[in-house]
Amino acid sequence: MLKAIIFDLDGVICSTDEYHYLAWKAMADDLGVYFDRTINNRLRGVSRMASLDIVLERYEGPALSEERKLSLAAQKNELYRSLLARMSPEDLSDEVKTTLAALRARGLKLAIGSSSKNTPFILSRLGLGDYFDAISDGNNIVRSKPDPEVFLRAAEYLGEAPSDCLVVEDAVSGAEAGHRGGFQVACVGDASLAGAGDWNLTSFSALLQVAESFDCPPAATAKPAGVAANPYLPL
Ligand code: BG6
Ligand code: MG
């Protein structure tokens, strides 16, 4: 039975890719390291320090101490937060807003499961500071996706079993985290194109159909053996 939905934040509820790109690019330029949007795409769903390691793959200078790495990550985050500060409730799309409201109206609990330590700031910029029933983020976990910790914590905060929760993700590592935690997973964006979910959606609002499918008798929703349900992927 579906009782709750746990949403990843970046790339699912809102789009922060460009801000991440601009902030990492400025830091990389300062350090003289090549960085582009293709590398930026690899940072989706990856924690801040693990992202820094990916950015530094092209670094050829003298070895960097842990302290220096922390200061580079802090430099990136400072610029990133100054860009996030430009966000407002207008950056929340009507589609996301109305879909969240419709899911809640069905009696579902709604939570956030994000690797970002900036989750509270982003939610407050979007006007969603008090909206979710639970928030699990980069501030309460020690292991990043694809480890399931962030989603398991969200389910615990909600008081629901993972098997009764649906995870919504845009990153393949996040979809893997959901599956490893025993959750069903609906994907949008990159993860959907990669077919990483049990449902691979072409729109956020298609979540309403996913939620409805849980109300149907099992025979009507049974997946053919070995084939993941994939009703929303474009042909
Ligand atoms: C994830 C993003 O949600 O949060 C990643 O997809 C990001 O790109 C990670 O690196 C950590 O974010 P933050 O805000 O804690 O630096
Ligand atoms: Mg994401």
Side-chain angles (χ1 to χ4, degrees), residues 8 10 20 24 43-48 51 76-77 80 114-118:
D8 172 51
D10 295 300
H20 276 297
W24 282 123
L43 311 183
R44 203 165 284 140
V46 178
S47 73
R48 192 180 309 163
S51 295
K76 180 266 174 179
N77 193 50
Y80 177 57
S114 166
S115 311
S116 172
K117 295 186 172 182
N118 290 301

Side-chain angles (χ1 to χ4, degrees), residues 34 38 78 85 103 110 118 124 127 130-131 159 178-179 181 188 191 201 235:
Y34 177 80
T38 308
E78 197 177 325
L103 292 168
L110 308 179
N118 290 301
S124 77
D130 296 324
Y131 188 82
H179 282 137
V188 294
L201 313 179
L235 296 172

Side-chain angles (χ1 to χ4, degrees), residues 48-141:
R48 192 180 309 163
M49 293 311 289
S51 295
L52 177 66
D53 285 338
I54 293 174
V55 175
L56 293 178
E57 282 173 7
R58 303 273 191 127
Y59 175 74
E60 288 173 348
L64 299 168
S65 64
E66 270 320 297
E67 197 185 357
R68 176 77 174 120
K69 283 189 181 181
L70 286 170
S71 123
L72 288 169
Q75 180 190 336
K76 180 266 174 179
N77 193 50
E78 197 177 325
L79 177 53
Y80 177 57
R81 280 178 71 94
S82 73
L83 296 169
L84 289 178
R86 298 179 185 173
M87 291 177 93
S88 76
E90 287 183 11
D91 288 294
L92 187 65
S93 74
D94 285 344
E95 182 186 8
V96 169
K97 215 182 305 180
T98 55
T99 304
L100 288 175
L103 292 168
R104 175 160 277 163
R106 295 181 72 90
L108 294 166
K109 294 183 191 172
L110 308 179
I112 292 287
S114 166
S115 311
S116 172
K117 295 186 172 182
N118 290 301
T119 295
F121 186 49
I122 295 171
L123 289 176
S124 77
R125 295 306 306 161
L126 294 172
L128 292 176
D130 296 324
Y131 188 82
F132 291 93
D133 299 301
I135 293 173
S136 171
D137 64 22
N139 300 297
N140 62 250
I141 55 169

